[in-house]
């Protein structure tokens, strides 16, 4: 059972054009002691943002009095008429909460828990209403979908995205499938780039802070020919590490990120819109180190390193030890293209195509025991690429509005992993394990969602999604040691698996008064099964046949309204 309530008080002020601004450092925290950067604040020339938090009116002001038009259900409607839990942030709102990457939404959205993933600075753990996926292992799919310009990101690695020249961020809570590309059981996080317009724009920000933080962002956009506009944005963010190994004279938990985004907007005719965006991100940092909490022993129980029992986190001095002789670094390259095209077939019907191509390469060293010993240090090298295509037919005819769509995605993920454990066995016995694996996923789906106003103020909505997902997997595990019995090679190549699912959605809403709406909603979410890369034929034979799919049945009742300068929304949602 989850319960969420959100209210927003209007903040008045004039729109600000940011040419070049510096932002002071906020209060530090243990997890992120650096200053947070400001974001540019003008968004009035863009399409309406779907949701409540921080939408801008015609003067770029944050206000609760303006009727906010949203497209959370793929058609334009007032926010207060959307029978679902949705939150959104435009550039001004992101600046107000000092969010510089996706984890900056933590604490700003009801029932959203979003933090940096364990062991890697480029992964994000996202939980909505308690549903999420904390493991970045490439054979585990995320429970909350991340979309950039409507293109689905299939890994949680590479999702700790710096917020560069965005129009808005949307957070949809609960299962998604009858409206969006990939079926997810927890919800969706959507990032929408700013579309270049007919007027020239230029903005930039500079942030400086503790630990020699320096973050510079700049963006330019404007027309380059009749019916053609282009935009370009770049960011450089650096910060020294705040955890130090004084013996090796190394600092960890730092940041060194470079990001570039380009966009091209074409309007060849009054009824045709084409948007092409490309992005490239590189992250070169040291590994992430935490506070060691447990005493270490060998595999057979002989003490290796004694640590205080139940250490107080308040006593952590951000000093530690790491394994010598390893690079102790984290590397990421993430790039992609997205092509969005829409054609208005009539005043009531629009055909839309969303094409995505992405590639992700990461090399992470992870010091699992956070000591100088080798009891479980690992190196993870992941190479991922994906192609996705989605077609939508959107209609708004009289009292009816809806969308029908087809979705396809093909993903290939290969990895090489090394685990170093020369101190694990003891008695001078060395040990290293390597894993080389490949996963191929093909996902196909068809979905439809519609809403009809049966009488004035009362609407019935329904949708259904048909999903077919096939996965092929193989793995080779090798062990190396100066003790012969611990050496070997093991091959795991199960038969491909195919899962099918039908996921419905139904809702009813009633506009009780001009300012108050009540609704009830049911939705089913589906996440396919897969293979456990850590499974072992001998030690865990039940993992040989993979793991089963997950489904979520979500029941939600909610209330939305507005009183004077206060808008509010409340929802209760048990999920099974």
């Amino acid at each position: 059972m989850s319960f969420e309530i959100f209210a927003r008080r209007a903040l008045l002020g004039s729109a600000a054009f940011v040419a070049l601004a510096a932002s002071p450092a906020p209060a530090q925290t243990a997890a992120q002691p650096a200053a947070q950067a400001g974001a540019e604040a003008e968004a009035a020339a863009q399409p309406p943002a779907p949701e409540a938090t921080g939408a801008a009116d015609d003067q770029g002001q944050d206000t609760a009095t303006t009727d906010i038009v949203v497209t959370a259900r793929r058609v334009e409607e007032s926010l207060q008429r959307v029978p679902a839990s949705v939150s959104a942030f435009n550039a001004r709102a992101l600046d107000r909460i000092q969010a510089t990457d996706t984890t900056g939404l933590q604490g700003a959205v009801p029932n959203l828990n979003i933090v940096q993933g364990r062991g890697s600075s480029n992964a994000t753990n996202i939980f909505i209403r308690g549903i999420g996926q904390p493991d970045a292992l490439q054979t585990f799919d995320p429970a909350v979908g991340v979309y950039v310009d409507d293109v689905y990101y299939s890994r949680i690695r590479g999702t700790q995205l710096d917020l560069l020249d965005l129009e808005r961020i949307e957070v949809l809570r609960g299962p998604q499938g009858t409206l969006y590309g990939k079926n997810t059981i927890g919800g969706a996080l959507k990032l929408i780039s700013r579309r270049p317009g007919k007027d020239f724009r230029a903005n930039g920000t500079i942030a400086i802070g503790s630990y020699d933080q320096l973050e510079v962002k700049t963006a330019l956009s404007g027309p380059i020919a009749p019916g053609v506009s282009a935009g370009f944005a770049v960011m450089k963010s650096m910060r020294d590490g705040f955890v130090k190994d004084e013996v090796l004279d190394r600092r960890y938990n730092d940041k060194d990120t470079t990001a570039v985004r380009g966009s091209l907007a074409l309007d060849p005719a009054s009824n045709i819109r084409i948007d092409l965006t490309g992005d490239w991100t590189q992250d070169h940092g040291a590994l992430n180190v935490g506070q060691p909490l447990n005493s270490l022993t060998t595999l057979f129980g002989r003490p290796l390193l004694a640590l205080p029992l139940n250490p107080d986190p308040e006593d952590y001095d951000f000093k530690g030890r790491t394994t010598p002789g390893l690079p102790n670094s984290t590397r990421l390259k993430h790039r992609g293209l997205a092509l969005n095209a829409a054609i208005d077939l009539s005043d009531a019907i629009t055909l839309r195509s969303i094409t995505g191509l992405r590639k992700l390469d990461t090399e992470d060293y992870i010091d699992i025991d956070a000591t100088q010993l080798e009891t479980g240090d690992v190196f993870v090298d992941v190479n991922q690429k994906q192609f996705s295509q989605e077609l939508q037919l959107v209609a708004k005819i009289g009292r009816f509005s809806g969308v029908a769509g087809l979705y396809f995605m093909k993903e290939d993920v290969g990895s090489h992993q090394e685990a170093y454990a020369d101190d694990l066995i003891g008695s001078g016995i060395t040990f290293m394990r390597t894993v080389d694996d490949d996963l191929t996923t093909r996902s196909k789906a068809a979905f439809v969602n519609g809403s009809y106003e049966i009488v004035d103020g009362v609407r019935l909505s329904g949708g259904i999604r048909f999903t077919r997902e096939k996965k092929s997997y193989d793995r080779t595990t090798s062990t190396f040691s100066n003790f012969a019995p611990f050496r070997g090679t093991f091959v795991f190549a199960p038969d491909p698996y195919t899962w099918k699912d039908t996921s419905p959605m139904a809702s009813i809403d009633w506009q009780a008064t001009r300012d108050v709406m009540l609704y009830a909603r049911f939705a089913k979410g589906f996440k396919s099964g897969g293979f456990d890369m850590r499974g072992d034929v001998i030690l865990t034979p039940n993992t040989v046949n993979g793991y089963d799919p997950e489904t979520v049945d979500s029941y939600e009742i909610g209330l939305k309204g507005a009183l004077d300068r206060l808008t509010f929304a409340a929802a209760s949602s048990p999920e099974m």
Side-chain angles (χ1 to χ4, degrees), residues 27 71 74 93 164 249 269 288 367 470 472 500 520 531 538 544 552:
T71 56
R74 302 295 193 183
L164 178 61
D249 192 25
N288 283 307
D367 195 323
K470 180 179 180 180
S472 303
K500 298 179 181 179
F531 304 94
I538 298 175
V544 172
V552 168

Side-chain angles (χ1 to χ4, degrees), residues 212-234:
D212 291 330
Q213 183 198 18
L214 174 63
E215 181 174 274
V216 180
K217 295 181 181 180
T218 186
L220 300 171
S221 66
I224 58 176
V228 182
S229 298
F232 180 78
V234 63

Side-chain angles (χ1 to χ4, degrees), residues 71 94 131 134 141 156 202 230 275 277 294 370 391 397 402 411 416 438 455 461 486 515 525-526 556 568:
T71 56
L94 292 170
I131 298 174
D141 292 335
I156 69 172
D275 294 289
T277 59
N294 302 304
L391 295 174
I397 305 171
E411 179 192 29
H416 171 75
D438 288 285
V455 296
S461 302
F486 289 164
D515 298 319
F526 168 80
E556 179 178 336
F568 60 88

Side-chain angles (χ1 to χ4, degrees), residues 116-131:
Q116 177 179 295
R118 63 183 186 182
S120 174
S121 62
N122 54 57
T124 312
N125 290 348
I126 309 174
F127 283 75
I128 294 179
R129 294 174 175 169
I131 298 174

Side-chain angles (χ1 to χ4, degrees), residues 87-105:
S87 297
F89 300 82
N90 64 8
R92 180 185 289 274
L94 292 170
D95 179 36
R96 191 172 64 237
I97 64 174
Q98 298 185 343
T100 59
D101 61 39
T102 48
T103 62
L105 297 177

